[in-house]
Structure formats: C-alpha cells, structure tokens
Short mmCIF file of all heavy atoms in Angstrom, two decimals:
data_model
loop_
_atom_site.label_atom_id
_atom_site.label_comp_id
_atom_site.label_asym_id
_atom_site.label_seq_id
_atom_site.Cartn_x
_atom_site.Cartn_y
_atom_site.Cartn_z
N LEU V 282 107.79 11.77 151.76
CA LEU V 282 108.18 10.45 151.21
C LEU V 282 109.63 10.25 150.99
O LEU V 282 110.23 9.20 151.20
CB LEU V 282 107.41 10.17 149.92
CG LEU V 282 105.91 9.98 150.05
CD1 LEU V 282 105.16 10.06 148.66
CD2 LEU V 282 105.62 8.73 150.79
N VAL V 283 110.32 11.33 150.54
CA VAL V 283 111.74 11.25 150.41
C VAL V 283 112.44 10.93 151.78
O VAL V 283 113.35 10.14 151.89
CB VAL V 283 112.36 12.64 149.82
CG1 VAL V 283 113.84 12.52 149.71
CG2 VAL V 283 111.74 12.74 148.49
N ILE V 284 111.98 11.65 152.78
CA ILE V 284 112.52 11.42 154.10
C ILE V 284 112.30 9.97 154.56
O ILE V 284 113.19 9.30 155.04
CB ILE V 284 111.87 12.36 155.18
CG1 ILE V 284 112.26 13.84 154.82
CG2 ILE V 284 112.20 11.98 156.59
CD1 ILE V 284 111.50 14.92 155.62
N LEU V 285 111.07 9.48 154.35
CA LEU V 285 110.81 8.13 154.70
C LEU V 285 111.69 7.09 153.87
O LEU V 285 112.25 6.21 154.63
CB LEU V 285 109.30 7.78 154.15
CG LEU V 285 108.20 8.13 155.08
CD1 LEU V 285 106.86 7.97 154.42
CD2 LEU V 285 108.28 7.26 156.45
N PHE V 286 111.93 7.36 152.66
CA PHE V 286 112.71 6.41 151.96
C PHE V 286 114.20 6.44 152.35
O PHE V 286 114.92 5.40 152.31
CB PHE V 286 112.68 6.58 150.43
CG PHE V 286 111.45 5.95 149.89
CD1 PHE V 286 110.27 6.66 149.64
CD2 PHE V 286 111.33 4.54 149.62
CE1 PHE V 286 109.15 6.01 149.09
CE2 PHE V 286 110.26 3.91 149.17
CZ PHE V 286 109.08 4.68 148.87
N HIS V 287 114.64 7.47 152.89
CA HIS V 287 116.01 7.60 153.53
C HIS V 287 116.03 6.85 154.83
O HIS V 287 117.19 6.31 155.22
CB HIS V 287 116.45 9.05 153.74
CG HIS V 287 116.94 9.62 152.39
ND1 HIS V 287 118.16 9.32 151.93
CD2 HIS V 287 116.47 10.49 151.53
CE1 HIS V 287 118.33 9.98 150.73
NE2 HIS V 287 117.26 10.67 150.57
N LEU V 288 115.03 6.76 155.51
CA LEU V 288 114.96 6.15 156.90
C LEU V 288 114.49 4.70 156.92
O LEU V 288 114.70 3.98 157.93
CB LEU V 288 114.11 6.97 157.89
CG LEU V 288 114.57 8.44 158.19
CD1 LEU V 288 113.56 9.11 158.98
CD2 LEU V 288 115.93 8.35 158.84
N PHE V 289 113.93 4.16 155.80
CA PHE V 289 113.43 2.78 155.74
C PHE V 289 114.66 1.93 156.02
O PHE V 289 115.81 2.20 155.68
CB PHE V 289 112.91 2.52 154.38
CG PHE V 289 111.41 2.89 154.29
CD1 PHE V 289 110.91 3.28 153.03
CD2 PHE V 289 110.52 2.70 155.39
CE1 PHE V 289 109.56 3.68 153.00
CE2 PHE V 289 109.27 3.12 155.28
CZ PHE V 289 108.74 3.53 154.05
N GLY V 290 114.38 0.67 156.43
CA GLY V 290 115.49 -0.31 156.65
C GLY V 290 116.21 -0.10 157.96
O GLY V 290 117.29 -0.57 158.10
N GLY V 291 115.56 0.64 158.87
CA GLY V 291 116.24 0.82 160.16
C GLY V 291 117.22 1.76 160.26
O GLY V 291 118.01 1.90 161.25
N HIS V 292 117.39 2.65 159.23
CA HIS V 292 118.51 3.67 159.27
C HIS V 292 118.21 4.72 160.35
O HIS V 292 117.04 5.13 160.53
CB HIS V 292 118.56 4.37 157.89
CG HIS V 292 119.06 3.49 156.81
ND1 HIS V 292 118.29 3.02 155.79
CD2 HIS V 292 120.30 2.96 156.67
CE1 HIS V 292 119.07 2.37 154.98
NE2 HIS V 292 120.24 2.19 155.52
N VAL V 293 119.24 5.12 161.02
CA VAL V 293 119.16 6.15 162.04
C VAL V 293 120.12 7.22 161.48
O VAL V 293 121.31 7.00 161.32
CB VAL V 293 119.64 5.62 163.36
CG1 VAL V 293 119.65 6.83 164.34
CG2 VAL V 293 118.76 4.52 163.95
N LEU V 294 119.49 8.37 161.18
CA LEU V 294 120.35 9.45 160.54
C LEU V 294 120.24 10.72 161.38
O LEU V 294 119.21 11.09 161.91
CB LEU V 294 119.77 9.75 159.08
CG LEU V 294 119.90 8.71 158.10
CD1 LEU V 294 119.30 9.09 156.73
CD2 LEU V 294 121.38 8.32 157.92
N ARG V 295 121.46 11.36 161.45
CA ARG V 295 121.47 12.70 162.09
C ARG V 295 120.79 13.67 161.19
O ARG V 295 120.64 13.53 159.95
CB ARG V 295 122.93 13.14 162.28
CG ARG V 295 123.67 12.24 163.30
CD ARG V 295 125.05 12.69 163.50
NE ARG V 295 125.02 14.02 164.23
CZ ARG V 295 126.14 14.57 164.72
NH1 ARG V 295 127.30 13.91 164.66
NH2 ARG V 295 126.09 15.69 165.38
N PHE V 296 120.33 14.80 161.83
CA PHE V 296 119.72 15.86 161.02
C PHE V 296 120.53 16.34 159.85
O PHE V 296 120.09 16.40 158.68
CB PHE V 296 119.27 16.97 161.95
CG PHE V 296 118.64 18.14 161.29
CD1 PHE V 296 117.30 18.21 161.10
CD2 PHE V 296 119.35 19.19 160.76
CE1 PHE V 296 116.62 19.18 160.33
CE2 PHE V 296 118.73 20.24 160.04
CZ PHE V 296 117.43 20.28 159.84
N SER V 297 121.82 16.51 160.16
CA SER V 297 122.69 17.04 159.10
C SER V 297 122.85 16.00 158.01
O SER V 297 123.10 16.36 156.82
CB SER V 297 124.04 17.38 159.71
OG SER V 297 124.65 16.29 160.36
N ASP V 298 122.84 14.67 158.26
CA ASP V 298 122.92 13.67 157.28
C ASP V 298 121.72 13.65 156.33
O ASP V 298 121.74 13.57 155.14
CB ASP V 298 123.06 12.26 157.92
CG ASP V 298 124.41 12.09 158.61
OD1 ASP V 298 125.32 12.78 158.26
OD2 ASP V 298 124.44 11.35 159.55
N LEU V 299 120.56 13.91 156.87
CA LEU V 299 119.35 13.96 156.17
C LEU V 299 119.40 15.28 155.30
O LEU V 299 118.98 15.17 154.10
CB LEU V 299 118.07 14.02 157.06
CG LEU V 299 117.51 12.68 157.58
CD1 LEU V 299 116.48 13.03 158.67
CD2 LEU V 299 116.87 11.93 156.42
N GLU V 300 119.81 16.34 155.83
CA GLU V 300 119.91 17.62 155.06
C GLU V 300 120.82 17.42 153.96
O GLU V 300 120.48 17.87 152.79
CB GLU V 300 120.45 18.66 156.01
CG GLU V 300 120.22 20.05 155.61
CD GLU V 300 120.66 21.07 156.60
OE1 GLU V 300 121.50 20.76 157.46
OE2 GLU V 300 120.14 22.25 156.53
N ARG V 301 121.94 16.81 154.05
CA ARG V 301 122.89 16.49 152.93
C ARG V 301 122.38 15.49 151.93
O ARG V 301 122.58 15.67 150.71
CB ARG V 301 124.23 15.99 153.48
CG ARG V 301 125.14 17.05 153.92
CD ARG V 301 126.60 16.60 154.13
NE ARG V 301 126.67 15.51 155.13
CZ ARG V 301 126.77 15.78 156.50
NH1 ARG V 301 126.76 16.97 156.94
NH2 ARG V 301 126.83 14.74 157.33
N ALA V 302 121.60 14.57 152.38
CA ALA V 302 121.07 13.49 151.56
C ALA V 302 119.89 13.93 150.62
O ALA V 302 119.55 13.30 149.67
CB ALA V 302 120.60 12.23 152.42
N ILE V 303 119.26 15.06 151.02
CA ILE V 303 118.06 15.54 150.30
C ILE V 303 118.32 16.94 149.73
O ILE V 303 118.10 17.91 150.34
CB ILE V 303 116.77 15.60 151.20
CG1 ILE V 303 116.59 14.23 151.86
CG2 ILE V 303 115.63 16.00 150.40
CD1 ILE V 303 115.56 14.20 153.06
N PRO V 304 119.02 16.91 148.55
CA PRO V 304 119.34 18.17 147.95
C PRO V 304 118.07 18.93 147.62
O PRO V 304 117.06 18.46 147.22
CB PRO V 304 120.01 17.92 146.63
CG PRO V 304 120.03 16.37 146.54
CD PRO V 304 119.36 15.84 147.70
N GLY V 305 118.09 20.25 147.84
CA GLY V 305 116.86 21.11 147.46
C GLY V 305 115.97 21.40 148.68
O GLY V 305 115.13 22.27 148.60
N ILE V 306 116.08 20.70 149.78
CA ILE V 306 115.22 20.90 150.92
C ILE V 306 115.93 21.97 151.84
O ILE V 306 117.15 21.94 152.11
CB ILE V 306 114.92 19.62 151.75
CG1 ILE V 306 113.79 19.90 152.76
CG2 ILE V 306 116.08 19.06 152.38
CD1 ILE V 306 113.21 18.69 153.41
N SER V 307 115.08 22.95 152.28
CA SER V 307 115.67 23.94 153.19
C SER V 307 115.72 23.36 154.58
O SER V 307 114.96 22.44 154.91
CB SER V 307 114.89 25.22 153.07
OG SER V 307 113.57 25.00 153.70
N GLN V 308 116.56 23.93 155.43
CA GLN V 308 116.66 23.45 156.80
C GLN V 308 115.26 23.68 157.49
O GLN V 308 114.76 22.80 158.26
CB GLN V 308 117.70 24.32 157.48
CG GLN V 308 118.04 23.69 158.89
CD GLN V 308 119.17 24.44 159.57
OE1 GLN V 308 119.09 25.81 159.75
NE2 GLN V 308 120.30 23.81 159.77
N LYS V 309 114.66 24.77 157.25
CA LYS V 309 113.34 25.08 157.82
C LYS V 309 112.34 23.97 157.45
O LYS V 309 111.59 23.48 158.36
CB LYS V 309 112.84 26.48 157.37
CG LYS V 309 111.54 26.81 157.89
CD LYS V 309 111.05 28.14 157.40
CE LYS V 309 109.66 28.43 157.83
NZ LYS V 309 109.15 29.76 157.18
N MET V 310 112.28 23.59 156.17
CA MET V 310 111.30 22.67 155.61
C MET V 310 111.61 21.33 156.24
O MET V 310 110.66 20.62 156.58
CB MET V 310 111.31 22.68 154.10
CG MET V 310 110.22 21.75 153.60
SD MET V 310 108.60 22.02 154.08
CE MET V 310 108.28 23.59 153.27
N LEU V 311 112.84 20.91 156.32
CA LEU V 311 113.21 19.66 156.94
C LEU V 311 112.71 19.53 158.35
O LEU V 311 112.23 18.57 158.78
CB LEU V 311 114.76 19.40 156.69
CG LEU V 311 115.29 18.05 157.28
CD1 LEU V 311 114.55 16.85 156.60
CD2 LEU V 311 116.73 17.96 157.09
N ILE V 312 113.03 20.62 159.03
CA ILE V 312 112.57 20.67 160.51
C ILE V 312 111.02 20.51 160.56
O ILE V 312 110.48 19.69 161.31
CB ILE V 312 113.01 21.90 161.15
CG1 ILE V 312 114.56 22.00 161.30
CG2 ILE V 312 112.36 22.10 162.50
CD1 ILE V 312 115.10 23.31 161.74
N GLN V 313 110.37 21.22 159.68
CA GLN V 313 108.85 21.15 159.77
C GLN V 313 108.29 19.75 159.41
O GLN V 313 107.44 19.26 160.17
CB GLN V 313 108.22 22.22 158.74
CG GLN V 313 108.38 23.64 159.14
CD GLN V 313 107.83 24.58 158.15
OE1 GLN V 313 107.60 24.20 156.96
NE2 GLN V 313 107.67 25.85 158.51
N GLN V 314 108.90 19.18 158.36
CA GLN V 314 108.38 17.85 157.95
C GLN V 314 108.74 16.80 158.99
O GLN V 314 107.82 16.00 159.31
CB GLN V 314 109.03 17.50 156.60
CG GLN V 314 108.78 18.36 155.50
CD GLN V 314 107.38 18.22 154.88
OE1 GLN V 314 107.17 17.37 153.96
NE2 GLN V 314 106.43 18.95 155.35
N LEU V 315 109.91 16.89 159.56
CA LEU V 315 110.30 15.90 160.70
C LEU V 315 109.43 16.10 161.92
O LEU V 315 108.96 15.13 162.53
CB LEU V 315 111.83 16.00 160.97
CG LEU V 315 112.75 15.44 159.94
CD1 LEU V 315 114.19 15.93 160.24
CD2 LEU V 315 112.64 13.94 159.91
N ARG V 316 109.17 17.28 162.24
CA ARG V 316 108.37 17.59 163.42
C ARG V 316 106.84 17.03 163.20
O ARG V 316 106.30 16.40 164.10
CB ARG V 316 108.27 19.09 163.80
CG ARG V 316 109.50 19.59 164.46
CD ARG V 316 109.36 21.00 164.86
NE ARG V 316 110.61 21.50 165.58
CZ ARG V 316 110.88 22.71 165.64
NH1 ARG V 316 110.19 23.65 165.06
NH2 ARG V 316 112.11 23.04 166.23
N GLN V 317 106.39 17.25 161.96
CA GLN V 317 105.03 16.78 161.74
C GLN V 317 104.98 15.19 161.70
O GLN V 317 104.10 14.60 162.30
CB GLN V 317 104.55 17.29 160.31
CG GLN V 317 103.07 16.94 160.06
CD GLN V 317 102.15 17.53 161.13
OE1 GLN V 317 102.14 18.80 161.25
NE2 GLN V 317 101.30 16.78 161.68
N MET V 318 106.03 14.59 161.20
CA MET V 318 106.02 13.19 161.17
C MET V 318 106.26 12.56 162.54
O MET V 318 105.74 11.52 162.84
CB MET V 318 107.18 12.72 160.17
CG MET V 318 106.92 13.08 158.74
SD MET V 318 108.38 12.79 157.67
CE MET V 318 108.39 11.08 157.51
N GLU V 319 106.99 13.35 163.32
CA GLU V 319 107.22 12.87 164.74
C GLU V 319 105.85 12.94 165.45
O GLU V 319 105.40 12.07 166.20
CB GLU V 319 108.22 13.77 165.44
CG GLU V 319 108.48 13.34 166.85
CD GLU V 319 109.44 14.26 167.64
OE1 GLU V 319 109.78 15.34 167.07
OE2 GLU V 319 109.91 13.88 168.72
N LYS V 320 105.12 14.09 165.28
CA LYS V 320 103.84 14.31 165.91
C LYS V 320 102.79 13.24 165.42
O LYS V 320 102.01 12.70 166.31
CB LYS V 320 103.23 15.71 165.52
CG LYS V 320 101.97 16.04 166.08
CD LYS V 320 101.55 17.48 165.61
CE LYS V 320 100.08 17.65 165.77
NZ LYS V 320 99.35 17.75 164.55
N ASP V 321 102.92 12.78 164.20
CA ASP V 321 101.99 11.73 163.68
C ASP V 321 102.49 10.35 164.06
O ASP V 321 101.73 9.44 163.72
CB ASP V 321 101.93 11.89 162.15
CG ASP V 321 101.17 13.20 161.70
OD1 ASP V 321 100.42 13.74 162.44
OD2 ASP V 321 101.47 13.58 160.51
N GLY V 322 103.60 10.20 164.69
CA GLY V 322 103.93 8.91 165.18
C GLY V 322 104.78 8.03 164.16
O GLY V 322 104.91 6.87 164.32
N ILE V 323 105.19 8.77 163.06
CA ILE V 323 105.93 7.99 162.00
C ILE V 323 107.46 7.99 162.30
O ILE V 323 108.08 7.01 162.08
CB ILE V 323 105.60 8.67 160.68
CG1 ILE V 323 104.10 8.52 160.33
CG2 ILE V 323 106.44 8.11 159.56
CD1 ILE V 323 103.62 9.33 159.17
N VAL V 324 107.92 9.09 162.82
CA VAL V 324 109.38 9.29 163.01
C VAL V 324 109.65 9.39 164.56
O VAL V 324 108.84 9.93 165.37
CB VAL V 324 109.89 10.56 162.32
CG1 VAL V 324 111.26 10.96 162.70
CG2 VAL V 324 109.92 10.27 160.81
N HIS V 325 110.75 8.87 165.00
CA HIS V 325 111.20 9.05 166.35
C HIS V 325 112.38 9.93 166.40
O HIS V 325 113.36 9.72 165.60
CB HIS V 325 111.56 7.59 166.95
CG HIS V 325 112.04 7.66 168.36
ND1 HIS V 325 111.19 8.13 169.40
CD2 HIS V 325 113.22 7.42 168.90
CE1 HIS V 325 111.89 8.03 170.54
NE2 HIS V 325 113.15 7.68 170.24
N ARG V 326 112.44 10.96 167.27
CA ARG V 326 113.52 11.80 167.45
C ARG V 326 114.25 11.52 168.62
O ARG V 326 113.84 11.37 169.68
CB ARG V 326 112.94 13.24 167.53
CG ARG V 326 113.98 14.38 167.63
CD ARG V 326 113.27 15.67 167.53
NE ARG V 326 114.11 16.80 167.55
CZ ARG V 326 114.49 17.59 168.63
NH1 ARG V 326 113.84 17.41 169.74
NH2 ARG V 326 115.36 18.52 168.37
N ILE V 327 115.63 11.28 168.42
CA ILE V 327 116.50 10.90 169.54
C ILE V 327 117.38 12.12 169.78
O ILE V 327 118.27 12.48 168.89
CB ILE V 327 117.24 9.68 169.18
CG1 ILE V 327 116.48 8.58 168.68
CG2 ILE V 327 118.20 9.27 170.32
CD1 ILE V 327 117.12 7.53 167.89
#
C-alpha cells in the first residue's frame, strides 16, 4: 500500500527513488513487493 500511494497520480519512479521514499524497507523486500505487484498486473516495470 505504501508503494501504491507513492505511485498514484501517474508518478513514474526509479527503484532508487522508491527506496529513498520508503524508510525502513530493505532493498530485498522492495524488490519482492514490486515483482509481486508486477506479476499481479498492478505495477509496470520499465
């Protein structure tokens, strides 16, 4: 949900920008969550 709220409104963010914007999330966890959301059709990876 935190990732979603950062991307709402048409925002396109680099991985490093998301990582900085979400304090407390590990790189591994961010990768896992983004991959799952991509697999589910919620997030597009460019």
Side-chain angles (χ1 to χ4, degrees):
L282 290 171
V283 176
I284 294 167
L285 275 172
F286 279 100
H287 280 285
L288 295 175
F289 278 144
H292 292 112
V293 179
L294 295 175
R295 293 181 70 164
F296 179 85
S297 58
D298 293 333
L299 276 169
E300 196 174 23
R301 277 192 298 276
I303 306 171
I306 191 169
S307 68
Q308 190 176 62
K309 178 183 175 186
M310 183 56 65
L311 181 57
I312 291 168
Q313 286 176 349
Q314 299 282 272
L315 286 167
R316 282 187 181 155
Q317 186 63 52
M318 292 169 77
E319 181 184 14
K320 180 179 160 249
D321 291 337
I323 296 169
V324 167
H325 180 66
R326 182 174 187 252
I327 306 160

